[in-house]
Amino acid sequence: MNVSATAPPVPELKPGTVTKSVRDTLVVTRRNVIRTIRIPEVLVLSLVQPLVFVLLFAYIFAGSFALPGAHGPAAYREFMMPGFFAQTIAFGTASNSSVSMANDLQSGMVDRFRSLPMARGALLTGRTVADLVQNAIVVTVMILCALLVGWRAHHGVLQAAAGFGLLLLMGYALSWVGVVIGLTVRAPEAAASSNFLWLFPLTFLSNAFVAPSTLPTVLRWAAEWNPLSATVQAARQLFGNPGLAATGAWPAQHPVLVSAGWSILIAVLFRTLAVRRYRSAGA
């Protein structure tokens, strides 16, 4: 007897959680990048301010600063550029993330995304990835300006790329801090103002523009263990710029490791806080 067996229908394979999360994140990233392109004033203004600061410090203030073991305006220009890279990334990323998230929350966009069948956290990750793309553009323009004022990377292309990679990684980590602020405050104006409360100490109480050895004891300790200081010091080391041995503190002697560790810790911690806040925002 011939028995004809009919194969059961193959169930439709649904994308895995990771695949869905990546897909949703890319969709949100694309939405944020397109939004920036349609409002070019945001990108232009984010470029103008750091370029003005670079020119001011390079040609007006450089002769007023003294570095241990290095002398002259040319030495200070190379010393300051990693600090300006870090400052620009920190201020631009955190401010953009917090204000954009506060705008989405106030306009009801967060509630709309939460009602869609999308991966949790995709809205937040898409926001930070879009800021990473914008940072890469800003840094590219700043590199051109830095080359014009005399900055050079002396250890080759690969180490220079590693230095910029650490700078962008720190910027990505700080963007999660901005996301938490944007989900916490009630208005975009409050988000913009609150950033100065922590970005100014983070940037100026560091080795970005002055050597920590010139600071009083307590401030020197704070500058040595500042996450931004580790990133700036790592960039100087990889670029071959002056200011490598300003102090004997452990973070200053192992800046690449400390910078990567700080960035990963900040990103993990504040992403966790952001996801929790996102789940309860507007509830």
Side-chain angles (χ1 to χ4, degrees):
M1 182 176 64
N2 293 331
V3 179
S4 59
T6 305
V10 179
E12 181 182 356
L13 296 178
K14 296 182 179 180
T17 303
V18 175
T19 303
K20 177 178 174 56
S21 179
V22 171
R23 182 191 63 193
D24 293 343
T25 298
L26 291 177
V27 170
V28 177
T29 301
R30 181 174 178 271
R31 171 247 181 188
N32 291 327
V33 171
I34 292 176
R35 183 180 180 183
T36 301
I37 294 174
R38 291 178 177 175
I39 312 176
E41 296 88 351
V42 175
L43 184 59
V44 171
L45 291 175
S46 66
L47 287 171
V48 170
Q49 183 176 348
L51 295 182
V52 170
F53 271 100
V54 168
L55 295 175
L56 284 175
F57 272 79
Y59 293 108
I60 298 178
F61 300 120
S64 303
F65 292 89
L67 296 177
H71 304 283
Y76 184 76
R77 288 170 189 168
E78 288 204 343
F79 173 85
M80 75 171 188
M81 279 314 305
F84 270 116
F85 289 135
Q87 181 199 46
T88 301
I89 289 173
F91 270 84
T93 300
S95 298
N96 195 44
S97 297
S98 60
V99 173
S100 297
M101 284 306 308
N103 269 320
D104 286 343
L105 187 63
Q106 188 181 59
S107 65
M109 187 62 67
V110 169
D111 293 331
R112 182 177 179 183
F113 275 111
R114 189 167 30 221
S115 67
L116 297 174
M118 61 186 298
R120 291 187 176 184
L123 174 65
L124 310 181
T125 307
R127 174 69 269 162
T128 57
V129 173
D131 291 335
L132 181 63
V133 172
Q134 180 173 330
N135 263 336
I137 297 173
V138 172
V139 167
T140 301
V141 176
M142 284 195 68
I143 291 173
L144 299 177
C145 182
L147 293 173
L148 291 177
V149 300
W151 172 82
R152 295 294 184 271
H154 302 286
H155 289 168
V157 176
L158 292 181
Q159 291 203 45
F164 286 114
L166 286 175
L167 288 166
L168 291 174
L169 179 61
M170 175 57 71
Y172 180 76
L174 295 180
S175 69
W176 283 107
V177 181
V179 168
V180 172
I181 293 174
L183 291 172
T184 302
V185 299
R186 297 185 178 182
E189 294 80 7
S193 300
S194 62
N195 285 316
F196 290 97
L197 298 178
W198 65 277
L199 282 173
F200 265 99
L202 181 73
T203 302
F204 291 101
L205 190 56
S206 71
N207 63 359
F209 305 114
V210 297
S213 59
T214 63
L215 300 175
T217 303
V218 175
L219 295 181
R220 183 177 70 246
W221 182 88
E224 289 169 346
W225 288 91
N226 186 331
L228 202 68
S229 291
T231 302
V232 173
Q233 191 78 346
R236 289 188 179 124
Q237 184 181 87
L238 293 169
F239 296 156
N241 294 153
L244 297 180
T247 69
W250 193 83
Q253 301 301 317
H254 306 84
V256 175
L257 177 63
V258 176
S259 173
W262 268 122
S263 296
I264 294 172
L265 177 63
I266 293 171
V268 171
L269 174 61
F270 281 91
R271 187 187 190 280
T272 302
L273 295 175
V275 171
R276 290 182 180 178
R277 182 60 188 168
Y278 172 67
R279 290 172 179 173
S280 61

